[in-house]
Amino acid sequence: MEFWLPVIYMAAMGFALLVYVILDGYDLGVGMLLPWADEEEKDTMIASIGPFWDANETWIVLGVGILLIAFPMAHGIVLTHLYIPVTLMLIGLTLRGVAFDLRVKAGDHRKTLWNRAFFAGSLLASLSQGWMLGAYVTGLQSNLTGYLFAALIALALPALYFVLGAGWLLMKTEGQLQQKAIGWARIAIFPMGAGLLLISIATPLVSQTIAEKWFAWPNLLMMAPIPILTACCFGIMLWLVNRKARIERGQGWVLYVTTVAICLLVSLGLGYSLYPDIIIGQMTIWEASASVKSLLFTLFGVALTLPAIITYTIVIYRIFHGKAADLSYD
């Protein structure tokens, strides 16, 4: 149990954060796409994420909560080092929540202001999350290399969210807005691909630990499917965004699914790169974990909470599946 409990908690935390990126990523992407739509389209875009966006954020709360209860030493170090980007992310998420309601309830003369606030909150949260991920991958290095790598991911993650958002709109909308979403996907897909490529090149350069894991034999052969499958998914995405007819026939979901597949592959690679460390080069998951008694006690809570969140997430998406309806705040 002393060996497996930290592994279980690490897997649960990684799963929660992956689901957060996939689910909240598309609604952050939709928020960042708002400035390029007209007023009626903005309402449809907000309606497409309305039933989901607040629940999507539950996953990041779960992930950070597991970090706190299972790895308290790492929680203190990570959040202390990332205090500023965490604060900026929370400001962005709060701004989104306020803007979501006030864009209509404050009156038509204030609607433009709150649309801009929703966009700003989405962009701020996305950039902050990218910086946090970049800083974490470098082992929280406080040097120029660490800052440059964090800045690279801070720019690449919003591009990924743009594509997720465009993919979501392809599934949830139709007509002129769907056509615009195709154009947005075409524009965002290249920065996303370039970002992933640069990150793949830069990651082993900024972390000797990761370089040794990936390029030592036979690890190189075993991990080769990850970049190969990622490239295949990217190729499918490029092919699809140039096939309007297929999207109009209902195949727009392929863009979203392939983007999700890329997120899954990247997370598998990241998990392999990190394990068994909770902070690269500083401490392992066993060194950072709470006592076995504490982990056993909280395991019951996680065992109840995780299935409950999964269940209501599935139920919500089942109830509100299909094309987005007209926006209503009644």
Side-chain angles (χ1 to χ4, degrees):
M1 293 299 289
E2 186 176 354
F3 176 85
W4 285 109
L5 280 172
V7 175
I8 293 171
Y9 276 96
M10 186 69 174
M13 182 176 69
F15 174 75
L17 295 177
L18 170 61
V19 175
Y20 171 78
V21 168
I22 293 171
L23 297 185
D24 207 39
Y26 77 73
D27 68 59
L28 286 168
V30 170
M32 289 186 287
L33 290 170
L34 277 183
W36 291 273
D38 62 33
E39 288 304 314
E40 184 177 348
E41 290 168 345
K42 286 182 174 69
D43 285 344
T44 303
M45 292 166 71
I46 293 295
S48 76
I49 65 174
F52 314 108
W53 71 274
D54 204 14
N56 292 342
E57 294 176 0
T58 305
W59 289 98
I60 195 172
V61 176
L62 176 63
V64 175
I66 293 175
L67 177 64
L68 172 62
I69 62 176
F71 308 105
M73 290 178 59
H75 178 274
I77 294 172
V78 170
L79 292 193
T80 298
H81 187 92
L82 301 177
Y83 181 82
I84 293 177
V86 168
T87 302
L88 292 175
M89 180 189 71
L90 293 176
I91 291 172
L93 294 177
T94 302
L95 186 58
R96 276 167 47 87
V98 173
F100 183 85
D101 283 333
L102 291 185
R103 66 182 299 274
V104 168
K105 294 183 179 180
D108 290 342
H109 63 295
R110 298 287 186 183
K111 193 172 184 178
T112 299
L113 170 65
W114 291 111
N115 282 337
R116 291 173 179 170
F118 195 82
F119 162 77
S122 301
L123 180 61
L124 181 60
S126 301
L127 291 171
S128 300
Q129 289 172 13
W131 183 278
M132 291 158 58
L133 177 59
Y136 181 70
V137 169
T138 62
L140 307 176
Q141 296 178 22
S142 298
N143 53 36
L144 180 60
T145 301
Y147 294 143
L148 289 175
F149 186 76
L152 173 61
I153 298 191
L155 296 175
L157 190 63
L160 173 66
Y161 287 170
F162 266 108
V163 177
L164 280 170
W168 179 256
L169 292 175
L170 292 182
M171 296 188 295
K172 299 293 288 185
T173 64
E174 52 193 0
Q176 185 62 33
L177 181 53
Q178 188 183 67
Q179 296 302 313
K180 284 189 176 181
I182 296 173
W184 294 334
R186 284 177 179 169
I187 294 171
I189 197 171
F190 288 104
M192 184 198 80
L196 289 174
L197 179 61
L198 290 173
I199 290 168
S200 300
I201 296 171
T203 301
L205 298 178
V206 299
S207 174
Q208 184 63 31
T209 301
I210 293 177
E212 291 173 354
K213 283 189 173 184
W214 278 85
F215 296 110
W217 189 264
N219 297 354
L220 179 61
L221 180 62
M222 292 188 299
M223 302 308 295
I226 290 180
I228 293 172
L229 290 174
T230 301
C232 291
C233 288
F234 188 75
I236 293 172
M237 295 165 67
L238 282 176
W239 174 82
L240 181 68
V241 295
N242 290 292
R243 300 293 187 279
K244 281 188 178 182
R246 289 186 174 273
I247 293 174
E248 291 169 352
R249 290 201 299 265
Q251 296 182 14
W253 60 270
V254 175
L255 179 67
Y256 187 81
V257 169
T258 49
T259 312
V260 169
I262 287 176
C263 292
L264 177 59
L265 290 166
V266 170
S267 1
L268 289 174
L270 180 60
Y272 171 75
S273 300
L274 292 174
Y275 184 82
D277 289 351
I278 186 75
I279 302 177
I280 293 179
Q282 295 192 38
M283 62 179 67
T284 66
I285 56 176
W286 299 283
E287 292 170 339
S289 68
S291 67
V292 173
K293 289 184 178 180
S294 297
L295 294 179
L296 282 172
F297 177 77
T298 54
L299 184 61
F300 291 102
V302 173
L304 292 173
T305 303
L306 188 56
I309 296 176
I310 293 173
T311 300
Y312 80 63
T313 299
I314 293 173
V315 169
I316 289 172
Y317 279 85
R318 177 59 184 165
I319 292 173
F320 295 100
H321 74 285
K323 299 296 183 181
D326 292 337
L327 182 64
S328 173
Y329 283 78
D330 296 333

